Amino acid sequence: MTAASSHIDPTALVHPSAIIGRGVAIWNWTKVREGARIGDSCSIGQGVYIDYGVTLGSGCKIQNGVNVYHGVTVGNNVFIGPNATFTNDLYPRAGEGDWTVVPTQVEDGASIGANATIVCGITLGRHCMVAAGAVVIHNVPPHGLVMGQPAKLVDYVNIQGRRLYHDMSGPPPSEAALTTRLPVGHGIMAINPKKKLRMAVVGAGEMGRNHLRVLDLLKGVEIIAVVDRDGDRAREAAHRYGCLPLTDLDGLPGRVDAAIVATPTATHGAIGVWLLDHGIHCLVEKPLAATEDECRALIQAAERSRAVLLPGNIERFNPVVRQLAEILAHGHRIYAVDVHRMSAVSPETTHVAVVEDLMLHDLDIVLSLIPDALTSLSAQAVQRDPEGDPDHATALLAFGDRSIATLTASRITQNKVRQMNLNTDLGFITLDFNAQELLIYQQGHGALDRARRTGLGGLALDLSIERLLIEKMEPLMVELQHFINVVHGKSPPLVTGEHALKVIRLLARIQAACRRGATLAETGS
């Protein structure tokens, strides 16, 4: 039975016993089988298959190529993206006679991304969000955001489907956070992606000038101002990039949408909070702040204003690091990590502790790769000046009984080294940050057996070396383009304020351990 106000394309096949509500649109080459029930105001796209007995609530939008099989019940106002598929048999076999339908429930307001697969026997909670391409095998809680293969709970979304960037180590978000509607024109929705993003750089030192150089190369960006307390330095940079020189922040609100904070670390907290409280999206250079309290203040300011806060942990945007993360993202185990980040003496960094200046990058990467909780930490350091900070430091971290990591940072090395080695169940992986090269060493199956049979003792044969093809790009350019995308709502932040706080908290522990165990280096006779 079909309501008179509905539209059914002539090419669609709708069984006469199917119940079609008012205002339903069913487009070409779609098939609706016997006994199916489709609620009012649904839109069913092209090439959709609705199996017999399936129930769709009112207000659903089913995109092209979706398959909804017998046993699936869909609530009201559910969105199902292109080519998503539901299964209904946990043990499918051709020709077997013991097939039993396993039901699946999709609750009101849920959204399912394109090409997702929903394995039968689960419930997708109200207003949850399933990312594109996910394979969902477990129940999804109300407002939960799941992604991956298999899908994992990574965050929560509000009633509008906007990601909350919730701290997943604590309890779920409050009902108020889940149900509060954020007005269009506030936070990241305030920026029209068709217009150029108006940006300022705060700090015209070496790093600030690097940001200006790269921003000048990016499309969709307009550099509005350079801010620096040194008026001459601000004017010099502004003249080069054709923008406004400022000596304070007061001239930014209303003029800019986003800002880069590239000032000394001690000023990050105050400057970032001021900008965020004025609704200006911020990328803050590493480290995010000088103290844990300042980190929390930045996170809270971003939450108040709904503006973007992106910690500028630049090495995470190195293409070789992103490739490594992708390789290890599918459940591979890391047994041990060994990282060396060593440089020669530089007068521009001697005022910054070597752990904060160099080791921060690798600690950030290690914590992003190893999900287990840290169980022990020790560190040793060498310093040339008894009154100064360590110049060479090594930290040993243990994560449960599964993984260890050794991190070495130095600014008294005669050669510049930026390398990471990983022992994993996939093989031995070596990574060169500067060359953006990644090698995977794997021992062939049966190599040890053959070595023993040929009398070669423990010498293993058939070692393969795989060099991954990586498109080399400047990490700063990748980072800034990512920031722009986050501001426009096109992607979630790769690094969150909560993660940066975790890194800074651990850095403080490493620095304290270094001070307790520091050794004075020999300076010669």
Side-chain angles (χ1 to χ4, degrees), residues 39-63:
D40 297 341
S41 303
C42 287
S43 176
I44 314 296
Q46 302 177 22
V48 174
Y49 178 78
I50 307 294
D51 206 357
Y52 70 95
V54 165
T55 297
L56 298 183
S58 299
C60 294
K61 186 173 184 178
I62 314 300
Q63 300 280 63

Side-chain angles (χ1 to χ4, degrees), residues 309-324:
L309 171 64
L310 181 69
N313 294 7
I314 190 171
E315 204 68 278
R316 288 280 288 280
F317 298 91
N318 190 323
V320 73
V321 175
R322 302 189 77 171
Q323 181 68 67
L324 174 67

Side-chain angles (χ1 to χ4, degrees), residues 81-84 112-118 130-136 146-151:
N83 302 308
I112 300 170
N115 298 301
T117 299
I118 312 302
V130 176
V135 177
V136 186
V146 296
M147 58 179 63
Q149 300 174 351

Side-chain angles (χ1 to χ4, degrees), residues 165 249 259-313 495-501 504:
Y165 301 108
L249 303 173
I260 310 296
V261 179
T263 57
T265 303
T267 66
H268 286 184
I271 291 174
V273 167
W274 192 95
L275 292 169
L276 290 165
D277 278 342
H278 284 80
I280 297 173
H281 308 287
C282 287
L283 187 158
V284 181
E285 265 299 329
K286 64 88 182 171
L288 182 60
T291 67
E292 292 181 32
D293 287 342
E294 289 179 358
C295 273
R296 293 190 190 95
L298 285 165
I299 295 167
Q300 291 164 3
E303 290 174 347
R304 284 193 303 270
S305 66
R306 292 287 176 177
V308 169
L309 171 64
L310 181 69
N313 294 7
V495 186
T496 65
E498 289 79 6
H499 180 84
L501 173 60
I504 288 172

Side-chain angles (χ1 to χ4, degrees), residues 334-338 370 396-399 402-406:
I334 299 174
Y335 301 114
V337 183
D338 184 29
I370 301 177
L396 175 62
L397 313 178
F399 300 87
R402 290 175 55 85
S403 307
I404 60 172
T406 307

Side-chain angles (χ1 to χ4, degrees), residues 120-139:
C120 56
I122 64 174
T123 297
L124 305 186
R126 57 186 175 84
H127 303 296
C128 73
M129 181 81 70
V130 176
V135 177
V136 186
I137 62 175
H138 299 296
N139 292 339

